[in-house]
Amino acid sequence: MEIKGKGLTQSVIALVSALAILIVTGCGGAGSGGEEQGVIINGDFALVYAERNMNALGNPTDGVRFSPGGDLFIKSVSAPLTDSTNLTSSYTQGAGDVSDPDVNFEGNKVVFAMRGPNDSTFNIWEYDLLANTMQRLIEDDDLASRGNDVDPTYLPDGRIVFSSDRQETTYRKMADENVAPYKYLDEYERERSIVLHTFDPLTQEVKQISFNQSHDRNATVLRTGEILYARWDHVANRNHFPLFITNPDGTGLFVEYGAFSPGNSFLHPREMPDGRIMTTLMPLSGTNEAGAVMIVNTQDFTDACHPNSGPSSDCRGQKKIQLTNLSVNFTRDFAPGGRFTTPYPLWDGTNRALVAFKPAPPNPTTFINAEGETVIDQGTPNYSIYMMDLDNETMRPVQLATNGKALIDPIPIIARSLSDVPTIINDKFLDPAMIVEDNSLGGEGIGVMNVRSVYDTDFLDIMGDRVLAQGETIPVDANGKPDLAAMKDPNNPAFVNRVARFVRVTRAIPTPPGMRMDTIGESNYEMQEILGYTQVEPDGSFRVKVPADTSIAMAVLDSQGRAFQSHTNWLQVRPGEIRTCNGCHSPRGETAPLNTLPVAGNHTANINSWDVLVGETMADTRNRNDSTTGELTQNITYTPIWAALSIGGIQQTEINYDELDTPSPITPNGQIRINYEDHIQPIWDKSRADVVGMCANAGSTGGAGDECTCVSCHNNPQLLNASISAGLTLEGGLNGLGGRMISYDQLLMGTFQTDSNGVPLPPVLDEEEGLIFLRNEALVNVGSSRQSSRSSHLTETIFHTKLRASADHVIGSLDHSAILTSSEKRLISEWIDIGAQYINDPFELDNGVYKVKRNLLSNIGVDQSLFVSTVQPRLLEDCQSCHSPAGDRVDGLNNDPNSHEHNRFVLTGSPDGDFNVTIAMINDLCSPADSDLLLRPISDNVAPNLPHPQILVDPTDPLNTATQPVLIDTSPNSTYGAILNWITVAADNNPTC
């Protein structure tokens, strides 16, 4: 599709002709006076920008927002009195939308995302300033419509890198694995995830290069040729946008900056001429994708404030641009200095930048929210374009917003000098032997994860004392670093006593649209499956083959197969890629790698007499000498190949499922998918021998033929006998939250605190949460990276060993380790480590194809247009103040005060996103009033299985602490009535109801 002057006004043609002369004479290399940037240097220049409706400006978590009325504009000179010209009105006709423009390195073409009034998706378009033409780059209509394509930017070889919810490779791989393909949702269950793709205009080939479960956005190309972008890093309680980096073929993907820096979301990164990065920093929601302009030093720092490199207040790696004497912040608090978005540093030697800016209102209004907090209104996000001078810290207007629109993404039309054009990085040579169909690993192609030592970690000490239990130690050398030489020496006790023994590899099961929220469980983790295990060598190294082009996670385990901490980042390898890391989250550029000469290559333990190369890890040596190694195993297996048992070797170990006489979690394809109802509850219900007299203590004779199960002790009648049940019921009745099993809620949410008669204590008023029932600390602890089976008291109980759960949890006198088999203990540990979800397998076989189970879906027949017109406005008014995205970096660093634990019902104002997350709260379409969407907000906390914070009756009265349910009015004209009617209409039109 190409438009050559069609519908373009004479003023546009004249403007473009003038720009063409300017580009040819002044922008491309030597100009007048021999200056490298010609007439542009120290002067004004042409620019393009997007004009959009203000409701098109959402949150970092909104990957795609469409609002009719957006266009691309151009100004011939960056001065406020010059006119702007609409370049796209001939196509949008006032009913389309435009976003994310960028200019090529020659300064003569502009690429942008546009959706016309008759388009179903955003597409990548290009405006040629010299030829005066505009064309959609993907020529085939079917290929173009497969997803929303946004955030385009040029690669130096002529390709385009962009973000898209087409999920090109992931969608195809589902079909290859016999799964009915679907476009998966982000980890808030809201929008289709947008991930990075490349497009070649010559071959028309689209390739997916990133495989996150949430959004990858705002790609930009560095002079090195690498792609820098903002990644929504959202696994468990980790919920923020650091900056990531990757090669154009998707290899070498890694976090570049901001994993543990002040603030939450780094968006809109752009490289500056001095190599630093200009970006905006903001909270996860509530500021219309704006905050403070930051300059971050990614060349010398991976985070702003590193405890090991100076005082915690020494944030040399991160500088906030403060242009006024008023405060500019990156939180949701009122910003007296205004807010910034989409900055673009100039490459003309002037140390300036274009930026979209919204000053704070001179007389801001305030209001009291439902929690009684005074909130200052920042005003509407009608951003204007300004020129920022970094030398004298001033700004001048370039284009002021009018007509209730926002002006964003200002891009200067300036050519780069040849020395500043990014390097072309060719696709890596990938081992063709690994680019094969490998069903055992679940997909097309494999790669290798090669870690030199799991003990080589960053300042968080993720494999150090903070994750160890009493009696466990990691020997250290004279410098206080993990002593790998000692752990490699079979004559040293550290060889046998080393703590890291195995690695578990899991992969994400993408969330299908319409899946009910309660089915995943009382966990901030999404669904996962276990792919297998490998062993950790004595020096802490491992090398293992993993499936390519998928989101994977890894966790280091102890000798019993329990994770030291759960993994809260998604990793990836491309087909044939060998990813080599010094360690797990090892420091980059701050300290020398741990497993290097003279330790590396010096393997004292080597009974096989393998030849060893200089600087080689034990995993490298083993893999090179034994072709059978490097494959994932279904069982947790350790083979003593470095030292004989007689000289300090470790005994052969295998923890398998052989003793499991309840349903196995192994799928027909060999993965491990654990559902609580199918695989964990049967362990509690299983009849077993009364090996420790537990049933006799519970009132049963324990004789032959008597029922002796975990439930025998842990059931409701035994709540009166805390010495036996500890207040825990493991009954499997479907009376828990959202129709889940009672036992699941008890384990994940905590047992109720009771009086002397075993009756739950009445609810109490909490300052933040309203009326709540008091619960004891949960026996299963999941959420952040620090939490795993080793920090859950349930694990301590079944192994009869004190690990890392709260000190309030003490090991009882009854030895449960003798009650459960090793296979059962393995399965329970696995379930906790991957997130303790209620369900991890949403598929069932239907006519030879795996499809999402219909009983897990709640969107069949629900009308989105009725939702947008009658329900969404009420939800935004009554619920959004609490149910908005809130960020958290976990590990106790930079926690967002607005974070709500287990709050996955997130509203942002996006029609698609709010619809998807709301239908996920419909438990039973045929019984509208029984859905959590209605039951929770009307809860008066009389029913302890429906916890929901209440609001103040009179938020304006600080002395009035009386509370009431959020939706206390259930009349037909209320919010409750609107929601009930919306679901009822769908139920009436559904033949299954």
Side-chain angles (χ1 to χ4, degrees), residues 306 445 482:
H306 195 302

Side-chain angles (χ1 to χ4, degrees), residues 404-424:
K405 297 291 182 74
L407 311 183
I408 58 174
D409 288 305
I411 308 295
I413 301 177
I414 301 178
R416 294 275 190 99
S417 65
L418 293 179
S419 61
D420 288 333
V421 173
T423 301
I424 294 176

Side-chain angles (χ1 to χ4, degrees), residues 334-358:
F334 180 75
R339 290 195 174 118
F340 297 85
T341 188
T342 58
Y344 196 109
L346 305 187
W347 286 68
D348 64 353
T350 62
N351 202 23
R352 297 179 298 168
L354 287 171
V355 68
F357 173 67
K358 164 66 170 64

Side-chain angles (χ1 to χ4, degrees), residues 320-435:
K320 180 169 69 174
I321 304 302
Q322 190 81 22
L323 299 179
T324 69
N325 59 355
L326 300 175
S327 173
V328 177
N329 58 46
F330 45 78
T331 68
R332 292 182 65 172
D333 297 332
F334 180 75
R339 290 195 174 118
F340 297 85
T341 188
T342 58
Y344 196 109
L346 305 187
W347 286 68
D348 64 353
T350 62
N351 202 23
R352 297 179 298 168
L354 287 171
V355 68
F357 173 67
K358 164 66 170 64
N363 298 301
T365 59
T366 62
F367 62 92
I368 306 297
N369 66 16
E371 288 75 43
E373 302 166 329
T374 300
V375 179
I376 305 177
D377 190 355
Q378 193 78 31
T380 56
N382 53 332
Y383 302 111
S384 296
I385 307 299
Y386 286 79
M387 178 69 72
M388 177 188 295
D389 191 314
L390 299 178
D391 288 333
N392 57 31
E393 297 188 341
T394 60
M395 287 198 310
R396 66 173 176 84
V398 172
Q399 182 71 32
L400 298 179
T402 58
N403 303 322
K405 297 291 182 74
L407 311 183
I408 58 174
D409 288 305
I411 308 295
I413 301 177
I414 301 178
R416 294 275 190 99
S417 65
L418 293 179
S419 61
D420 288 333
V421 173
T423 301
I424 294 176
I425 299 179
N426 295 318
D427 289 355
K428 303 292 184 184
F429 173 76
L430 304 178
D431 185 351
M434 289 193 281
I435 309 175

Side-chain angles (χ1 to χ4, degrees), residues 250 288 484 586 778:
N288 299 107
L484 301 189
S586 54

Side-chain angles (χ1 to χ4, degrees), residues 925-948:
L925 183 65
C926 299
S927 183
D930 292 333
S931 290
D932 283 350
L933 182 61
L934 289 174
L935 287 178
R936 293 200 190 193
I938 66 170
S939 170
D940 57 5
N941 284 292
V942 172
N945 284 333
L946 287 172
H948 192 282

